[in-house]
PDB file of all heavy atoms in Angstrom:
ATOM      1  N   SER A 210      -4.916  -7.049   3.803  1.00 89.00           N
ATOM      2  CA  SER A 210      -4.303  -8.360   4.006  1.00 89.00           C
ATOM      3  C   SER A 210      -2.797  -8.240   4.176  1.00 89.00           C
ATOM      4  O   SER A 210      -2.176  -9.035   4.892  1.00 89.00           O
ATOM      5  CB  SER A 210      -4.633  -9.286   2.831  1.00 89.00           C
ATOM      6  OG  SER A 210      -6.015  -9.576   2.807  1.00 89.00           O
ATOM      7  N   ASP A 211      -2.193  -7.261   3.509  1.00 91.00           N
ATOM      8  CA  ASP A 211      -0.776  -6.972   3.746  1.00 91.00           C
ATOM      9  C   ASP A 211      -0.538  -6.662   5.217  1.00 91.00           C
ATOM     10  O   ASP A 211       0.439  -7.111   5.815  1.00 91.00           O
ATOM     11  CB  ASP A 211      -0.322  -5.765   2.915  1.00 91.00           C
ATOM     12  CG  ASP A 211      -0.145  -6.097   1.440  1.00 91.00           C
ATOM     13  OD1 ASP A 211      -0.235  -7.288   1.081  1.00 91.00           O
ATOM     14  OD2 ASP A 211       0.097  -5.169   0.658  1.00 91.00           O
ATOM     15  N   ILE A 212      -1.445  -5.871   5.781  1.00 94.00           N
ATOM     16  CA  ILE A 212      -1.313  -5.456   7.178  1.00 94.00           C
ATOM     17  C   ILE A 212      -1.482  -6.669   8.098  1.00 94.00           C
ATOM     18  O   ILE A 212      -0.732  -6.843   9.064  1.00 94.00           O
ATOM     19  CB  ILE A 212      -2.332  -4.364   7.523  1.00 94.00           C
ATOM     20  CG1 ILE A 212      -2.186  -3.179   6.565  1.00 94.00           C
ATOM     21  CG2 ILE A 212      -2.170  -3.899   8.963  1.00 94.00           C
ATOM     22  CD1 ILE A 212      -3.265  -2.127   6.703  1.00 94.00           C
ATOM     23  N   THR A 213      -2.471  -7.515   7.797  1.00 96.00           N
ATOM     24  CA  THR A 213      -2.685  -8.715   8.603  1.00 96.00           C
ATOM     25  C   THR A 213      -1.427  -9.567   8.650  1.00 96.00           C
ATOM     26  O   THR A 213      -0.981 -10.003   9.721  1.00 96.00           O
ATOM     27  CB  THR A 213      -3.842  -9.554   8.030  1.00 96.00           C
ATOM     28  OG1 THR A 213      -5.035  -8.782   8.034  1.00 96.00           O
ATOM     29  CG2 THR A 213      -4.052 -10.820   8.858  1.00 96.00           C
ATOM     30  N   GLY A 214      -0.838  -9.813   7.486  1.00 96.00           N
ATOM     31  CA  GLY A 214       0.371 -10.630   7.445  1.00 96.00           C
ATOM     32  C   GLY A 214       1.499 -10.022   8.239  1.00 96.00           C
ATOM     33  O   GLY A 214       2.211 -10.724   8.977  1.00 96.00           O
ATOM     34  N   ALA A 215       1.674  -8.702   8.113  1.00 95.00           N
ATOM     35  CA  ALA A 215       2.746  -8.019   8.839  1.00 95.00           C
ATOM     36  C   ALA A 215       2.510  -8.074  10.343  1.00 95.00           C
ATOM     37  O   ALA A 215       3.449  -8.260  11.130  1.00 95.00           O
ATOM     38  CB  ALA A 215       2.854  -6.576   8.367  1.00 95.00           C
ATOM     39  N   ILE A 216       1.265  -7.935  10.767  1.00 97.00           N
ATOM     40  CA  ILE A 216       0.940  -8.003  12.196  1.00 97.00           C
ATOM     41  C   ILE A 216       1.244  -9.398  12.746  1.00 97.00           C
ATOM     42  O   ILE A 216       1.857  -9.544  13.814  1.00 97.00           O
ATOM     43  CB  ILE A 216      -0.537  -7.638  12.436  1.00 97.00           C
ATOM     44  CG1 ILE A 216      -0.763  -6.138  12.220  1.00 97.00           C
ATOM     45  CG2 ILE A 216      -0.973  -8.049  13.845  1.00 97.00           C
ATOM     46  CD1 ILE A 216      -2.225  -5.731  12.242  1.00 97.00           C
ATOM     47  N   LEU A 217       0.831 -10.420  12.028  1.00 98.00           N
ATOM     48  CA  LEU A 217       1.074 -11.787  12.497  1.00 98.00           C
ATOM     49  C   LEU A 217       2.570 -12.077  12.570  1.00 98.00           C
ATOM     50  O   LEU A 217       3.043 -12.742  13.507  1.00 98.00           O
ATOM     51  CB  LEU A 217       0.382 -12.787  11.575  1.00 98.00           C
ATOM     52  CG  LEU A 217      -1.151 -12.749  11.593  1.00 98.00           C
ATOM     53  CD1 LEU A 217      -1.724 -13.718  10.575  1.00 98.00           C
ATOM     54  CD2 LEU A 217      -1.693 -13.058  12.979  1.00 98.00           C
ATOM     55  N   ALA A 218       3.331 -11.582  11.590  1.00 98.00           N
ATOM     56  CA  ALA A 218       4.785 -11.755  11.638  1.00 98.00           C
ATOM     57  C   ALA A 218       5.359 -11.090  12.880  1.00 98.00           C
ATOM     58  O   ALA A 218       6.260 -11.627  13.533  1.00 98.00           O
ATOM     59  CB  ALA A 218       5.418 -11.169  10.375  1.00 98.00           C
ATOM     60  N   ASN A 219       4.827  -9.931  13.225  1.00 97.00           N
ATOM     61  CA  ASN A 219       5.257  -9.220  14.425  1.00 97.00           C
ATOM     62  C   ASN A 219       4.925 -10.029  15.680  1.00 97.00           C
ATOM     63  O   ASN A 219       5.754 -10.180  16.582  1.00 97.00           O
ATOM     64  CB  ASN A 219       4.580  -7.846  14.467  1.00 97.00           C
ATOM     65  CG  ASN A 219       4.871  -7.059  15.726  1.00 97.00           C
ATOM     66  OD1 ASN A 219       4.510  -7.450  16.827  1.00 97.00           O
ATOM     67  ND2 ASN A 219       5.512  -5.913  15.576  1.00 97.00           N
ATOM     68  N   LEU A 220       3.709 -10.567  15.735  1.00 98.00           N
ATOM     69  CA  LEU A 220       3.241 -11.250  16.946  1.00 98.00           C
ATOM     70  C   LEU A 220       4.044 -12.518  17.249  1.00 98.00           C
ATOM     71  O   LEU A 220       4.206 -12.886  18.415  1.00 98.00           O
ATOM     72  CB  LEU A 220       1.755 -11.590  16.811  1.00 98.00           C
ATOM     73  CG  LEU A 220       0.787 -10.400  16.706  1.00 98.00           C
ATOM     74  CD1 LEU A 220      -0.638 -10.896  16.581  1.00 98.00           C
ATOM     75  CD2 LEU A 220       0.924  -9.465  17.894  1.00 98.00           C
ATOM     76  N   VAL A 221       4.538 -13.189  16.201  1.00 97.00           N
ATOM     77  CA  VAL A 221       5.266 -14.447  16.430  1.00 97.00           C
ATOM     78  C   VAL A 221       6.770 -14.272  16.252  1.00 97.00           C
ATOM     79  O   VAL A 221       7.517 -15.246  16.304  1.00 97.00           O
ATOM     80  CB  VAL A 221       4.764 -15.559  15.480  1.00 97.00           C
ATOM     81  CG1 VAL A 221       3.299 -15.853  15.722  1.00 97.00           C
ATOM     82  CG2 VAL A 221       5.026 -15.211  14.012  1.00 97.00           C
TER      83      VAL A 221
END
Side-chain angles (χ1 to χ4, degrees):
S210 293
D211 285 353
I212 304 172
T213 300
I216 288 172
L217 293 176
N219 176 296
L220 296 180
V221 298

